[in-house]
Amino acid sequence: MSSPSLISAYPRAVLFDLLTALLDSWAIWNRAAGSEAAGRAWRAEYLRRTYGCGAYQPYEHLVQEAASAVGLPAAAPAALEAGWDELPAWDGARELLQALRPHCRLAVVTNCSVRLGRRAASLLGVDWDVVVTSEEAGYYKPDPRPYELALARLQVQPSEAAFIAGSGYDMFGTSKVGLRTYWHNRVGLTLPEGAARPERESTRLEAALPWLERFNAA
């Protein structure tokens, strides 16, 4: 059991990227595309459109447009949605959430529609305090507004919260908001040019717990 000094050192809230930090969405994108190479190309085109669109455009439409742009048939987006409820959690995701549950408020900030975002969040088996989608915020990450909406709903200040990122692009947003960030860089992505460095980076989620246990330690 954690000592009182460690319990008091936790942040008041931990916010998570969902589809990359906690869930292995790479797997179902690749499966829907027919290969890892096709899935990566499709995902890259989707991300380019997401980060460049400004105000929210329907998530499902961006996914379909990206598939068409890289030469995938309409069956690919349909297969992605058909497999949505089979999104696998990364090793250690559920264990980390259960370890944090007694000490912190827990939230999701995800680039997704309300419909699909809530379905994906429910797969982790935790009672989330807040789930914020880009559809609700009106903007996609890394625009600051999705993070700010989650903090407002949690009623915590940025200095009282931590963010667990799955994409290097999250660092553009969290640095603007003032969220200390741990990057769960599971697949070894390169930090985007111009992005702030995270406070911690690891290919594993397990290393986030000691960091969070001592978050407010002197």
Side-chain angles (χ1 to χ4, degrees):
M1 180 178 294
S2 298
S3 70
S5 62
L6 287 182
I7 290 173
S8 65
Y10 283 95
R12 287 187 61 201
V14 184
L15 288 65
F16 291 85
D17 170 74
L18 177 62
L19 297 175
T20 311
L22 292 175
L23 297 172
D24 178 12
S25 57
W26 299 97
I28 67 161
W29 280 71
N30 295 346
R31 186 173 69 193
S35 71
E36 181 176 352
R40 292 265 181 147
W42 178 20
R43 186 77 173 270
E45 177 62 20
Y46 153 76
L47 291 173
R48 186 187 70 78
R49 290 168 182 266
T50 299
Y51 296 133
C53 72
Y56 179 80
Q57 296 179 26
Y59 173 84
E60 292 85 348
H61 292 177
L62 291 182
V63 169
Q64 291 165 2
E65 290 171 358
S68 178
V70 299
L72 289 173
L80 179 66
E81 183 161 343
W84 198 255
D85 294 324
E86 300 170 14
L87 279 161
W90 290 117
D91 293 344
R94 291 187 177 91
E95 292 82 358
L96 176 61
L97 292 169
Q98 292 304 320
L100 294 174
R101 178 72 278 180
H103 310 296
C104 312
R105 304 195 76 197
L106 301 177
V108 157
V109 186
T110 182
N111 274 354
C112 202
S113 64
V114 171
R115 180 176 65 89
L116 293 180
R118 294 189 179 280
R119 278 171 57 186
S122 71
L123 298 174
L124 287 150
V126 67
D127 183 16
W128 296 103
D129 294 291
V130 168
V131 174
V132 166
T133 66
S134 50
E135 182 177 5
E136 293 169 278
Y139 289 83
Y140 283 101
K141 298 183 299 175
D143 187 282
R145 278 165 276 205
Y147 312 95
E148 290 169 346
L149 179 58
L151 291 168
R153 289 183 176 176
L154 290 164
Q155 298 184 312
V156 300
Q157 297 299 312
S159 61
E160 300 174 308
F163 190 83
I164 308 297
S167 164
Y169 286 94
D170 265 310
M171 263 56 81
F172 288 109
T174 59
S175 63
K176 288 180 181 178
V177 173
L179 280 168
R180 293 165 60 185
T181 303
Y182 176 101
W183 185 13
H184 176 214
N185 189 7
R186 191 59 170 245
V187 297
L189 301 172
T190 301
L191 187 70
E193 184 177 355
R197 296 209 64 84
E199 188 167 323
R200 296 284 189 276
E201 178 181 343
S202 175
T203 59
R204 308 293 296 180
L205 274 169
E206 292 89 331
L209 185 58
W211 177 64
L212 293 165
E213 286 176 333
R214 296 163 177 80
F215 191 78
N216 290 315

